[in-house]
Amino acid sequence: MPQDNGNRGSIDPQPAIERTAILWCNLGSPDAPTAAAVRPYLAEFLGDPRVVEIPRLLWALILYGIILRVRPAKSAAKYASIWMAEGSPLKVWTRKQATLLAGWLGERGHRVAVQDAMRYASPSIASRLDALQAEGATRVLVLQAYPQYSATTTASVIDAVNDWSRRQRRIPEFRFVNQYHDDPAYVEALALGIEAHWKREGRGELLLMSFHGIPVRNIALGDPYQVQCLETARLLAARLGLAATGYRVTFQSRFGRAKWLEPYTEPTLRELGASGVKRVDVVCPGFPADCLETLEEIAMEGREAFLHAGGQTFSYIPCLNDSPAWITALAGIAERNLAGWPTRPAASAQSLPR
């Protein structure tokens, strides 16, 4: 008779090698520059209670009864004007950043899986976490493309991770990077991009730093976003050697009738053009990747507003995108927040901290 070894039906007692991963998150974008693709994206984005903080029933009536009937076609035309051969600029740059981040960390000896994810539309945070878990990831660093913290963006990503976690039996260990607005390497990457642009294109009379706006009410409720934007601008101006009269900080992308952070970007550009400023440079420090808000709203609509008001030269300075200085800064942020987790190929299950 065969001998019973006492292990019938037992689970292999040897633990699997545990993996560490990074989830690089950005806002999102429709899959195509069409009204049919924009509509579900806007429904998900504007349906997030972190984004629009008014009573749900009232907002649902406005969103589905008005906005989603008229806005998708208008937004699709805007997306079509900036669409790249590879797809949405936001997705293209975010994907490249994830690939370059993985490569940079690999050169430093880290064995870390890096996945890009979108808070809205695809690839979703849930689908990327499913893939990482299937690959054996038990520790995940959630790194976001939002240098300045806001509940409308940063906290919403955390919500999505928590929503996914509620459906899991085994939940990975998570760490969240909530802001890096004053990180020296991030500020240096911004400065190097601006200086390179000035070297190529010449320098304007004024540098306008445009950040995405949020409702003033959010600040009153405790959101640190405005303070962090102003600190980024201060540090960047100091690094560039700009006097207080050499730059301005504005806020863009206002939505709805509520009061948002001021001064607003487009009215400021009109004011500058009308007041005799002939040449202005515009940079968007809060956007690590070029997207609709930078390429269409600023580089197209902002340009038109400034020139129509009397300005002569409008110069848009591209976002960080895949610049080496930015990828180096991003990798440094990742390394600091990965500290203590096993990221080296030689790490084994027996050597993992308990």
Side-chain angles (χ1 to χ4, degrees):
M1 291 182 62
Q3 301 240 343
D4 186 351
N5 61 12
N7 289 327
R8 185 181 293 116
S10 66
I11 298 174
D12 184 353
Q14 294 298 318
I17 300 298
E18 299 186 41
R19 297 194 65 191
T20 298
I22 296 175
L23 193 67
W24 172 233
C25 303
N26 211 328
L27 187 83
S29 175
D31 293 328
T34 64
V38 169
R39 188 172 289 107
Y41 165 72
L42 285 180
E44 184 181 9
F45 173 43
L46 296 177
D48 185 347
R50 290 284 193 180
V51 175
V52 181
E53 297 184 32
I54 66 175
R56 291 293 90 195
L57 179 58
L58 173 61
W59 178 238
L61 293 174
I62 297 172
L63 179 60
Y64 291 94
I66 302 174
I67 294 174
L68 292 180
R69 293 177 181 270
V70 298
R71 186 157 176 170
K74 294 179 180 179
S75 294
K78 293 177 182 289
Y79 276 107
S81 71
I82 55 100
W83 209 256
M84 301 170 69
E86 306 99 310
S88 159
L90 181 84
K91 291 187 178 182
V92 169
W93 289 120
T94 303
R95 185 168 58 247
K96 287 183 178 180
Q97 289 166 347
T99 300
L100 290 169
L101 175 60
W104 194 100
L105 291 172
E107 288 183 359
R108 293 293 297 269
H110 299 283
R111 184 176 179 270
V112 178
V114 181
Q115 290 273 15
D116 62 299
M118 299 290 141
R119 174 61 183 90
Y120 312 104
S122 63
S124 69
I125 288 174
S127 68
R128 290 307 206 199
L129 286 174
D130 284 341
L132 289 173
Q133 190 174 61
E135 294 171 4
T138 56
R139 294 175 175 86
V140 180
L141 175 68
V142 180
L143 185 55
Q144 305 189 38
Y146 311 129
Q148 297 78 24
Y149 178 95
S150 173
T152 60
T153 50
T154 317
S156 182
V157 167
I158 296 172
D159 289 343
V161 173
N162 289 336
D163 287 343
W164 176 86
S165 297
R166 277 193 287 270
R167 300 190 297 271
Q168 308 306 312
R169 171 61 58 182
R170 183 181 181 183
I171 300 173
E173 183 178 351
F174 286 107
R175 289 180 183 172
F176 297 89
V177 179
N178 286 359
Q179 66 266 318
Y180 44 92
H181 65 285
D182 56 355
D183 179 78
Y186 156 65
V187 174
E188 180 67 13
L190 290 170
L192 290 174
I194 294 168
E195 289 173 338
H197 183 87
W198 284 343
K199 186 175 181 179
R200 291 191 309 268
E201 309 292 337
R203 184 167 175 173
E205 301 166 54
L206 181 82
L207 178 65
L208 189 72
M209 303 183 193
S210 181
F211 293 85
H212 200 291
I214 63 173
V216 171
R217 177 178 178 272
N218 294 28
I219 304 301
L221 292 173
D223 203 308
Y225 180 74
Q226 182 182 27
V227 170
Q228 294 186 357
C229 288
L230 295 176
E231 179 65 3
T232 297
R234 185 191 69 80
L235 292 170
L236 180 56
R239 163 59 180 79
L240 293 169
L242 298 177
T245 56
Y247 73 101
R248 286 199 192 181
V249 177
T250 60
F251 297 90
Q252 64 182 88
S253 308
R254 180 186 175 190
F255 177 76
R257 297 183 179 180
K259 184 176 181 180
W260 281 39
L261 293 177
E262 295 179 307
Y264 301 136
T265 298
E266 188 170 313
T268 299
L269 286 169
R270 289 197 296 267
E271 171 201 326
L272 291 171
S275 68
V277 174
K278 299 303 181 185
R279 178 168 184 168
V280 66
D281 299 323
V282 183
V283 68
C284 300
F287 295 86
D290 270 311
C291 55
L292 185 71
E293 287 79 4
T294 64
L295 298 173
E296 197 278 334
E297 183 180 355
I298 298 299
M300 294 182 185
E301 292 184 2
R303 179 190 305 275
E304 182 179 354
F306 178 70
L307 298 180
H308 185 74
Q312 293 182 357
T313 303
F314 178 100
S315 190
Y316 169 68
I317 301 173
C319 291
L320 295 167
N321 295 330
D322 61 351
S323 73
W326 164 234
I327 302 303
T328 300
L330 187 61
I333 294 168
E335 276 196 309
R336 288 196 302 275
N337 287 277
L338 289 168
W341 279 1
T343 62
R344 306 287 178 178
S348 65
Q350 288 76 12
S351 64
L352 292 176
R354 299 296 180 185

